[in-house]
Amino acid sequence: MSARPAKPERHRLLRGLLEGDPFITDRELADRLGVSVQTVRLDRLELGIPEARERTRRVAEEATRKVRSVMTGEVIGELVHVSLGEEAISVLEPTADMAFRRTGIVRGHHIFAQANSLAVALVDAEVALTGAATVKFLHPVRAGDRLVARAQVTQRAGRRYRVNVVSQVAGKDVFRGEFVVFASGPAPGEAGSEGGKLHEDRP
Amino acid sequence: MSARPAKPERHRLLRGLLEGDPFITDRELADRLGVSVQTVRLDRLELGIPEARERTRRVAEEATRKVRSVMTGEVIGELVHVSLGEEAISVLEPTADMAFRRTGIVRGHHIFAQANSLAVALVDAEVALTGAATVKFLHPVRAGDRLVARAQVTQRAGRRYRVNVVSQVAGKDVFRGEFVVFASGPAPGEAGSEGGKLHEDRP
DNA sequence: CCACGTATTAGCATCTGCTGCTAATCCAGT
DNA sequence: ACTGGATTAGCAGCAGATGCTAATACGTGG
């Protein structure tokens, strides 16, 4: 019961500190843990923790990748099958980041995003915009679940597509949605040409 | 017309390179631009570009912040007014990241996310889950637009709320949606208690 | 009590990617 | 030919590391 925590305890503390702030330097760590810099180095070595510079770089890259995939990705989730104009399937494995911390239940808009992006990707056109959607969240989805979305074109009139999307976890329907998607030629043009509403596109 | 690009041209190239990869080092920059390391340093100085370490750190922090706000934020956008159980307003200024590069049109799920999270936040309960939604994208929204969403509870039966959300850009309706949200007591419980469908919560 | 092992600390050389400074060189314009 | 902007070179120094060696502290078993 020294003022100083024992080694294994210190190792947990170390991990904790770095969890909270990955940019923290050896010197600072040494101060906070009440040990020498050398000890911190040995600890990092034992725990296989890279140096601050490296950690920062990794965080930067991973976070960037994440932002890109969430914000910029063509399809949310992984496209596992496409038959343009007919049907498409994507798989998304929601992380804890996508869920409410308290309940672990995935936020609805991620499920919507998967379905919507899939519906849009399915349409065989330069540019496609979602005009409307009717969706039902049938059952909560938890972080770690394997979310499989299947989209099918059910109707087509000119540039207006009707796409049904069903998402499942372990074979059970958790989400169902109907999307109206408008396709545009190479010339995107402005909104509301015929049916009136439109909104999404595909790069 | 030397093989080497002129200074202003090189400056643009420099910006471009760093845009593509912010982690790139002075040495590498010098190689790619065909000049000496010193010149790169002078250029960075002129352009007010910080060193690679600093750039990496910034990217890491910003991206992390962004991911958090997109993935974990309670409300997508900034909550500017709430009257629990009645109405709420949030403002979102979509960045280029949220739009398709080709057209600059904001992806539908961001607009949906703003509306959905607002509807959920509006419900005065420990936990709230979206059960269903019917939405219409009336007009394209572009990166840089100021997207104002207004949610109103239009009906309430027990723990079942009906929430209307209208989003505007410069006073013009661009999105309209109707959300069915289920509120739960302190004990979240499992899904489908009465009305059948539910799905979102609030931390 | 002493010896051995583990943990901790210290010190030093070295590396990378920078800053800050001074000095040399090149090259074009008048 | 001279001046001035652009470029290059070289060097000292810093921060935050690594890798290595050595000294010290603190048990615990013999």
Side-chain angles (χ1 to χ4, degrees):
Chain A
M1 44 207 74
S2 51
R4 275 213 231 119
K7 193 171 176 179
E9 168 68 9
R10 193 184 57 221
H11 281 189
R12 285 193 298 108
L13 285 174
L14 186 67
R15 284 188 208 274
L17 283 173
L18 290 179
E19 185 100 14
D21 179 6
F23 312 126
I24 194 169
T25 188
D26 277 8
R27 187 67 186 71
E28 283 178 277
L29 286 170
D31 286 351
R32 301 204 195 182
L33 295 173
V35 294
S36 70
V37 178
Q38 287 80 355
T39 300
V40 171
R41 300 217 289 238
L42 291 174
D43 285 354
R44 279 200 298 103
L45 211 68
E46 275 185 74
L47 297 173
I49 296 172
E51 60 165 308
R53 263 110 95 151
E54 178 66 15
R55 290 192 307 265
T56 307
R57 233 204 58 235
R58 290 191 191 183
V59 168
E61 281 177 355
E62 202 209 334
T64 305
R65 195 179 50 65
K66 229 181 213 168
V67 169
R68 292 250 179 289
S69 72
V70 175
M71 313 270 267
T72 317
E74 292 201 23
V75 174
I76 309 295
E78 194 194 352
L79 208 51
V80 295
H81 166 76
V82 201
S83 155
L84 272 181
E86 295 176 34
E87 69 161 11
I89 295 173
S90 79
V91 175
L92 175 67
E93 296 195 358
T95 64
D97 294 326
M98 306 185 189
F100 294 96
R101 234 181 308 165
R102 287 186 50 214
T103 58
I105 294 177
V106 174
R107 287 153 195 275
H109 69 259
H110 287 105
I111 299 167
F112 178 91
Q114 181 192 17
N116 181 53
S117 65
L118 190 62
V120 165
L122 180 51
V123 172
D124 185 14
E126 283 288 301
V127 176
L129 300 171
T130 303
T134 303
V135 302
K136 280 194 167 43
F137 298 95
L138 307 169
H139 205 84
V141 174
R142 314 199 88 88
D145 286 350
R146 184 182 166 83
L147 197 47
V148 181
R150 182 159 181 266
Q152 286 180 294
V153 173
T154 57
Q155 211 183 92
R156 187 189 161 180
R159 42 181 50 190
R160 187 171 170 284
Y161 291 71
R162 191 169 287 272
V163 183
N164 267 353
V165 182
V166 176
S167 298
Q168 296 186 324
V169 170
K172 187 165 76 177
D173 288 10
V174 295
F175 170 92
R176 227 172 282 152
E178 190 176 79
F179 294 81
V180 177
V181 180
F182 293 92
S184 305
E190 207 37 34
S193 44
E194 39 178 309
K197 313 100 186 172
L198 86 173
H199 191 263
E200 186 110 340
D201 98 7
R202 184 158 62 88
Chain B
M1 44 204 70
S2 52
R4 276 214 230 118
K7 193 171 177 182
E9 169 68 10
R10 193 183 58 222
H11 281 189
R12 285 193 298 110
L13 284 173
L14 187 67
R15 285 189 207 273
L17 283 173
L18 290 179
E19 185 100 14
D21 179 6
F23 312 126
I24 194 170
T25 188
D26 278 8
R27 187 69 186 73
E28 283 178 277
L29 286 170
D31 287 351
R32 302 204 196 181
L33 295 173
V35 294
S36 69
V37 177
Q38 286 80 356
T39 300
V40 171
R41 299 216 289 240
L42 291 175
D43 286 353
R44 280 201 298 103
L45 212 67
E46 276 184 74
L47 297 173
I49 295 171
E51 59 166 307
R53 262 112 91 155
E54 178 66 14
R55 289 192 307 264
T56 307
R57 232 203 60 236
R58 290 192 191 180
V59 168
E61 281 175 355
E62 201 209 334
T64 305
R65 196 178 49 65
K66 226 180 217 169
V67 170
R68 293 252 178 288
S69 72
V70 174
M71 314 271 268
T72 317
E74 291 200 24
V75 175
I76 310 295
E78 194 196 352
L79 209 51
V80 295
H81 165 74
V82 201
S83 157
L84 272 181
E86 295 175 35
E87 69 160 12
I89 294 173
S90 79
V91 175
L92 175 68
E93 296 196 358
T95 63
D97 293 327
M98 306 185 189
F100 294 97
R101 235 181 308 165
R102 287 185 53 212
T103 57
I105 295 176
V106 175
R107 286 153 196 276
H109 68 261
H110 288 106
I111 299 167
F112 178 92
Q114 181 192 18
N116 181 53
S117 64
L118 190 62
V120 166
L122 180 51
V123 172
D124 185 13
E126 283 288 302
V127 176
L129 300 172
T130 303
T134 302
V135 301
K136 279 193 167 45
F137 298 93
L138 307 170
H139 206 84
V141 175
R142 314 199 88 86
D145 285 349
R146 184 182 166 82
L147 197 47
V148 180
R150 182 159 182 265
Q152 286 180 295
V153 172
T154 57
Q155 210 183 92
R156 185 186 163 183
R159 41 180 51 188
R160 186 170 170 284
Y161 292 70
R162 192 170 287 272
V163 183
N164 268 354
V165 182
V166 176
S167 298
Q168 295 186 327
V169 169
K172 186 164 78 178
D173 288 11
V174 295
F175 169 93
R176 226 173 282 151
E178 190 175 80
F179 294 81
V180 177
V181 181
F182 294 92
S184 305
E190 207 36 37
S193 45
E194 39 178 307
K197 314 101 186 171
L198 86 172
H199 190 261
E200 187 109 340
D201 100 4
R202 185 159 61 90

